[in-house]
């Protein structure tokens, strides 16, 4: 397998849109900007195959050689992301169909049904042709398969999808009785006598069967994965030793990243925080999540140099925001940062999306200057490549839970990412570094496991957590967790059925709060705001740590803790304010004297974000100032600053400033 030695730095490159002179100027500008990696041919289908019987590789041959001669590594896409008009004209049945029965037409992109045998055939033919031609090109370092699966098309209700759903269900359940059981179809007379009676969860009179909706989500993630695998297999007929990947989208609901990651050699994602947000926690969290998919460094395959074009109002990045947020990704395990795109388009839907080279003169552009500064800095940071992120705690994340939690007909409206965002903000406020795990993965080596709003989880996970706690691990979960199994059927006997015994509590009844209201809880004699959710918690071995302070629930438990010898489990029965949650987490750290990796290097706590990556014989400590103030960071020992080349024990960081210190073991 080709191995990476330097941080990758570059962009999506779409030179089909430009003249030869511009492309040659691009080579000079790329050198200036420190670009060493570009992704090409993502939307190249019609150029390579202008009609069904013609392949034309002249332009791509020239481009591949040109990039190679300029020492730019190539991430080559198979080019299947946007099918050509002639294919749509010939086979309109390959187009996706909306829930209201509209067939989406040519004129945008990603206009294919993921299960369509026609699309799959043409896409694999193209993949083979591209691989056959370029598999041994010396500039090639990565295969980029398709692009952002399910970004636009995350549902399809065509006849073929319905049939394929039926066979997918038959494979999964084996018997129709098995499906009826799993889907609780005795309810509302929904029972099926045969597979072909089953619909996709399309338009229906009222609430749809929840288990059917969940299976449809699984089905769509699986069908897109199957498509990825077919494209990859077509390439693999000709290619050896070149890694495969597709660009994921971080907290994107429709692709189950944990299921996809084993099929890729490298995981990457496209990161588009809103520049108006001071600290975009969901994107910061997605860096950790993406790294956790393969437990190794990841790539930012796309980010914007400044504004995007697809929000209602497209805020521009302010000076140094790009640099700070790029280092944030490196600090959390990225080994490369790329942009969408290299040169800002002249026409088409994305002409107002920022790029490394703007519409104006690059040499009078702040964006180009900042990009070039970053590229030149990155060329000195090869110590980062391949290092291991050091996590303090682990948070359970499950796409299937996301789907289940956000189905309709629930006690209240709960948003998984909103809840995770608050938790992540509180963890990072304490400089706790975070890994994510899927419920089926090992928890070994983590002192604290947090399972936020894990509404749905299989019985095996409940058992695993129980064993983990018995063996001395600390468990923390919160309201509406451990409620149903993977078929959306409630664990009976009192909530939260799956964790009841581990936590030593029984929740009798939920008390969702009115929208946009706050109550307060009493925690260690202080008051903290709570919102969204309250509930009646009975202690059954646990003790109350905090109590509700309003109405019927006054003085009843709001958060709990069970401690029997080495058995420690915590529960939060409401949505706490950031301050409340941070204090609660700090109490857990204090109770168990849990030390963080950051504390190992810091002489005193700091507001600056601190994370560590471990290399062979050294540790890198990343200091990032996301605050509005100049902040001093005192370290226990002097470290070698990779950017200034100085040895520093006291680092003074202006707002948005960063430092990377190297400590030899
Ligand atoms: C996605 C796509 C790119 C481009 C960007 C714009 O990430 O992969 O082709 O459209 O969005 O933000
Ligand atoms: Zn379809």
């Amino acid at each position: 397998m080709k191995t990476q030695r330097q941080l990758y730095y570059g962009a999506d490159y779409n030179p089909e849109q430009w003249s030869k002179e511009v492309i040659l100027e691009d080579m000079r500008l790329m050198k200036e900007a420190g670009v060493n990696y570009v992704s090409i041919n993502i939307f190249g289908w019609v150029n390579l195959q202008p009609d069904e019987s013609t392949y034309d590789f002249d332009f791509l041959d020239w481009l591949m050689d040109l990039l190679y001669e300029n020492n730019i590594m190539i991430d080559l896409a198979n080019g299947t992301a946007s099918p050509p008009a002639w294919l749509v004209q010939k086979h309109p049945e390959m187009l996706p169909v909306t829930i209201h029965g509209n067939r989406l037409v040519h004129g945008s992109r990603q206009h294919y049904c993921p299960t369509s045998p026609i699309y799959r055939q043409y896409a694999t033919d193209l993949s083979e042709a591209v691989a056959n031609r370029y598999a041994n090109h010396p500039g090639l370092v990565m295969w980029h398969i398709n692009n952002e699966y399910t970004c636009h098309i995350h549902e399809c209700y065509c006849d073929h999808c319905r049939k394929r759903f039926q066979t997918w269900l038959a494979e999964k359940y084996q018997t129709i009785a098995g499906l009826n059981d799993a889907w609780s179809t005795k309810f509302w007379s929904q029972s099926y006598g045969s597979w072909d009676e089953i619909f996709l969860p399309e338009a229906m009179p009222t609430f749809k069967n929840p288990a059917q909706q969940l299976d449809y989500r699984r089905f769509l993630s699986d069908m897109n994965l199957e498509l990825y695998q077919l494209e990859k297999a077509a390439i693999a007929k000709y290619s050896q030793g070149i890694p495969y990947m597709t660009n994921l989208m971080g907290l994107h609901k429709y692709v189950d990243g944990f299921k996809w990651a084993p099929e890729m050699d490298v995981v990457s994602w496209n990161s588009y925080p809103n520049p108006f947000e001071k600290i975009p926690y969901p994107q910061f969290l997605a860096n950790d999540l993406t790294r956790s998919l393969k437990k190794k460094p990841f790539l930012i395959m796309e980010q914007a140099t400044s504004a995007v074009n697809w929000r209602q109002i497209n805020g521009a990045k302010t000076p140094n925001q790009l640099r700070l947020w790029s280092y944030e990704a490196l600090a959390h395990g990225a080994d490369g940062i790329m942009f969408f795109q290299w040169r800002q388009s002249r026409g088409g839907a994305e002409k107002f999306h920022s790029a490394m080279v703007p519409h104006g003169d690059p040499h009078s552009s702040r964006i180009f200057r900042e990009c070039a500064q970053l590229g030149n800095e990155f060329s000195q940071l090869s110590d980062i490549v391949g290092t291991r992120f050091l996590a303090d705690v682990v948070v359970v994340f499950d796409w299937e839970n996301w789907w289940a939690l956000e189905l309709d007909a629930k006690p209240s409206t709960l948003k998984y990412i909103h809840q995770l965002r608050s938790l992540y903000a509180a963890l990072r406020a304490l400089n706790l570094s975070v890994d994510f795990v899927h419920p089926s993965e090992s928890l070994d080596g983590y002192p604290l496991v947090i399972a936020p709003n894990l509404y749905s989880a299989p019985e095996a996970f409940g058992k695993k957590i129980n064993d983990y706690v018995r063996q001395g691990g600390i468990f923390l979960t919160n309201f509406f967790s451990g409620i149903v199994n993977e078929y959306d059927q409630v664990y009976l006997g009192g909530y939260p059925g799956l964790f009841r015994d581990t936590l030593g509590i029984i929740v009798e009844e939920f008390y969702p709060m009115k929208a946009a209201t706050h109550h307060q809880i009493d925690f260690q004699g202080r008051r903290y705001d709570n919102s969204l959710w309250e509930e009646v918690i009975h202690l059954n071995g646990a003790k109350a740590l905090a109590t509700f302070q309003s109405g019927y629930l006054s003085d009843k438990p709001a958060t709990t803790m069970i401690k029997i010898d080495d058995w420690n489990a915590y529960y939060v029965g409401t949505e706490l304010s950031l301050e409340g949650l941070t204090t609660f987490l700090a109490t857990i750290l204090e109770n168990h004297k849990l030390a963080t990796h950051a504390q190992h290097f810091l002489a005193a706590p700091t507001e600056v974000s601190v994370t560590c990556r471990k290399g062979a014989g050294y540790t890198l400590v990343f200091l990032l100032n996301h605050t509005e103030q100049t902040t001093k960071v005192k370290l226990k020992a002097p470290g070698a600053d990779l950017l200034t080349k100085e040895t520093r024990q006291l680092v003074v960081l202006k707002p948005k400033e960063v430092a990377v210190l190297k400590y030899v073991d």
Side-chain angles (χ1 to χ4, degrees):
M1 192 69 72
K2 265 200 186 168
T3 46
Q4 182 181 350
R5 299 191 194 289
Q6 344 163 18
L7 288 178
Y8 289 151
Y9 187 67
D12 276 20
Y13 187 35
N14 298 301
E16 299 84 359
Q17 299 169 17
W18 298 101
S19 67
K20 200 170 168 184
E21 292 68 52
V22 173
I23 296 171
L24 293 176
E25 192 203 356
D26 285 342
M27 296 304 114
R28 290 190 290 275
L29 288 173
M30 282 186 189
K31 209 156 281 168
E32 219 177 299
V35 166
N36 61 17
Y37 182 105
V38 294
S39 305
I40 57 171
N41 196 42
I42 295 178
F43 300 104
W45 195 335
V46 80
N47 284 299
L48 292 187
Q49 203 182 2
D51 59 58
E52 176 152 17
S53 48
T54 315
Y55 278 108
D56 178 355
F57 290 111
D58 288 355
F59 176 75
L60 197 52
D61 286 353
W62 175 74
L63 183 70
M64 295 277 297
D65 292 346
L66 184 71
L67 290 167
Y68 179 59
E69 284 156 18
N70 282 280
N71 293 318
I72 294 167
M73 294 175 270
I74 302 167
D75 170 36
L76 179 61
N78 56 345
T80 54
S82 197
W86 56 258
L87 178 54
V88 170
Q89 172 85 352
K90 186 168 178 201
H91 295 289
E93 69 277 22
M94 58 151 282
L95 293 166
V97 174
T98 68
I99 192 157
H100 299 298
N102 299 326
R103 222 169 244 292
L104 302 177
V105 299
H106 183 86
S108 175
R109 66 174 178 185
Q110 206 171 78
H111 43 286
Y112 60 81
C113 158
T115 75
S116 160
I118 296 282
Y119 170 73
R120 287 178 169 198
Q121 187 59 55
Y122 281 87
T124 48
D125 288 351
L126 179 69
S127 308
E128 274 196 37
V130 171
N132 185 15
R133 188 138 189 122
Y134 300 111
N136 298 315
H137 194 285
L140 178 65
V141 299
M142 184 87 75
W143 285 111
H144 185 112
I145 302 181
N146 211 308
N147 193 59
E148 287 194 334
Y149 288 91
T150 78
C151 173
H152 312 298
I153 302 299
H154 38 79
E155 298 181 338
C156 178
Y157 296 90
C158 76
D159 292 343
H160 189 264
C161 279
R162 181 174 173 201
K163 292 205 182 68
R164 188 67 188 86
F165 186 47
Q166 292 164 351
T167 54
W168 183 89
L169 290 168
E171 277 160 38
K172 174 167 179 176
Y173 292 108
Q174 302 290 312
T175 65
I176 198 78
L179 174 132
N180 280 317
D181 258 8
W183 284 16
S184 308
T185 56
K186 293 240 162 91
F187 179 79
W188 283 355
S189 192
Q190 289 170 355
S191 304
Y192 296 98
S194 66
W195 303 106
D196 55 8
E197 291 168 1
I198 300 169
F199 285 91
L200 297 167
E202 44 207 282
M204 294 181 187
T206 181
F207 299 117
K208 303 170 190 181
N209 182 307
Q212 179 178 7
Q213 295 186 74
L214 278 177
D215 270 337
Y216 181 60
R217 284 277 149 253
R218 294 180 180 116
F219 164 75
L220 272 167
S221 176
D222 280 7
M223 287 302 100
N224 279 282
L225 177 56
E226 191 174 84
L227 171 59
Y228 167 88
Q229 285 166 312
L230 288 169
E231 294 180 66
K232 178 174 137 180
I235 298 169
K237 285 187 184 166
Y238 299 94
S239 180
Q240 272 185 353
I242 303 292
Y244 296 97
M245 64 97 214
T246 187
N247 44 5
L248 299 171
M249 284 167 281
L251 293 174
H252 176 70
K253 197 170 175 181
Y254 306 103
V255 162
D256 183 342
F258 280 109
K259 247 185 155 172
W260 282 57
E263 301 301 324
M264 297 181 222
D265 297 302
V266 177
V267 279
S268 73
W269 80 285
N270 299 343
S271 174
Y272 289 102
N274 189 338
F276 289 139
E277 275 195 60
K278 216 187 112 27
I279 305 192
Y281 284 112
Q283 282 79 17
F284 285 8
L285 180 172
N287 287 327
D288 285 330
L289 177 63
T290 308
R291 184 198 65 247
S292 299
L293 297 179
K294 278 199 96 68
K295 327 280 175 232
K296 62 179 211 189
F298 66 97
L299 301 174
I300 295 286
M301 194 48 72
E302 294 177 23
Q303 64 171 356
T305 56
S306 185
V308 298
N309 66 313
W310 41 259
R311 293 194 171 98
Q312 283 298 318
I313 301 175
N314 296 296
K317 287 183 179 164
T318 54
N320 278 326
Q321 202 168 21
L322 171 66
R323 180 168 182 261
L324 177 65
W325 290 358
S326 300
Y327 276 94
E328 172 75 16
L330 297 184
H332 289 258
D335 270 3
I337 306 270
M338 270 65 69
F339 297 96
F340 177 84
Q341 57 178 330
W342 164 252
R343 185 180 278 276
Q344 192 164 1
S345 301
R346 181 169 185 214
E350 294 186 316
K351 58 186 170 299
F352 294 116
H353 192 295
S354 60
M356 294 178 85
V357 179
H359 286 148
D361 168 24
H363 292 111
S364 16
S365 146
R366 175 187 67 81
I367 292 181
F368 186 74
R369 209 166 40 244
E370 284 197 22
C371 288
Q373 182 197 337
L374 207 54
N376 288 302
E377 281 178 20
F378 281 9
S379 66
Q380 302 160 49
L381 296 179
S382 40
D383 275 346
I384 293 177
V385 177
T387 55
R388 189 168 53 86
F389 183 77
L390 298 179
D392 300 313
V393 299
V394 74
V395 173
V396 178
F397 185 95
D398 187 2
W399 266 269
E400 297 199 19
N401 176 60
W402 187 357
W403 302 332
L405 183 72
E406 295 186 2
L407 286 179
D408 45 15
K410 294 281 180 10
S412 185
T413 304
L414 260 161
K415 293 286 180 199
Y416 195 36
I417 303 310
H418 177 78
Q419 296 301 324
L420 276 162
R421 176 200 178 102
S422 317
L423 171 67
Y424 191 79
L427 290 167
R428 293 304 300 137
L430 296 166
N431 261 324
L432 280 161
S433 54
V434 181
D435 271 348
F436 287 91
V437 276
H438 185 264
S440 64
E441 292 183 308
S442 162
L443 304 172
D444 287 355
Y446 295 107
L448 171 62
V449 172
I450 308 175
N453 302 97
L454 193 67
Y455 161 72
S456 162
E459 217 167 323
F461 184 70
K463 190 174 172 314
K464 183 191 287 189
I465 285 296
N466 206 274
D467 292 346
Y468 170 79
V469 170
R470 271 176 204 286
Q471 285 153 20
I474 306 156
F475 179 54
L476 164 64
T477 188
N478 64 347
F479 61 99
F480 217 42
S481 294
I483 305 295
V484 299
N485 66 13
E486 58 273 46
Y487 308 111
D488 209 42
Q489 295 165 328
V490 171
Y491 291 112
L492 299 176
Y495 311 121
L498 195 60
F499 304 132
R500 203 170 49 216
D501 296 340
T502 310
L503 296 168
I505 57 166
I506 300 172
V507 175
E508 181 193 340
E509 200 181 348
F510 307 131
Y511 268 69
M513 291 169 57
K514 264 196 223 164
T517 54
H518 293 279
H519 290 166
Q520 292 206 310
I521 60 155
D522 181 292
F523 178 45
Q524 296 169 337
R526 277 193 59 192
R527 298 288 169 109
Y528 298 91
D529 283 350
N530 70 305
S531 48
L532 188 74
W533 188 280
E534 295 181 334
E535 53 187 26
V536 181
I537 304 173
H538 297 287
L539 301 173
N540 188 27
K543 67 173 191 183
L545 282 187
T547 51
F548 291 118
Q549 295 301 313
S550 302
Y552 166 61
L553 294 175
S554 279
D555 296 326
K556 295 195 166 65
T559 73
T560 70
M561 168 186 126
I562 183 166
K563 174 156 190 52
I564 305 172
D565 303 324
D566 279 347
W567 178 316
N568 293 285
Y570 294 82
Y571 182 72
V572 179
T574 184
E575 181 184 77
L576 292 177
S577 64
L578 181 60
E579 192 198 3
L581 189 54
T582 310
T583 312
F584 190 80
L585 288 167
T587 307
I588 297 180
L589 293 191
E590 178 57 35
N591 284 352
H592 303 281
K593 304 276 171 265
L594 292 180
T596 65
H597 287 100
Q599 277 167 5
H600 188 75
F601 295 93
L602 292 173
T606 174
E607 303 234 305
V608 161
S609 165
V610 187
T611 53
C612 307
R613 293 181 66 170
K614 181 83 189 76
Y618 61 92
T619 305
L620 299 175
V621 179
F622 292 79
L623 308 174
L624 274 61
N625 190 358
H626 292 288
T627 77
E628 307 276 337
Q629 296 85 38
T630 297
T631 308
K632 285 185 190 156
V633 186
K634 284 191 197 130
L635 296 138
K636 284 183 182 156
D641 188 321
L642 294 186
L643 293 169
T644 64
K645 314 283 183 222
E646 294 160 352
T647 300
R648 301 167 87 183
Q649 189 164 2
L650 176 70
V651 179
V652 182
L653 294 176
K654 293 197 194 113
K656 298 204 184 83
E657 193 50 67
V658 307
V660 186
L661 300 184
K662 181 174 175 177
Y663 287 90
V664 175
D665 292 348

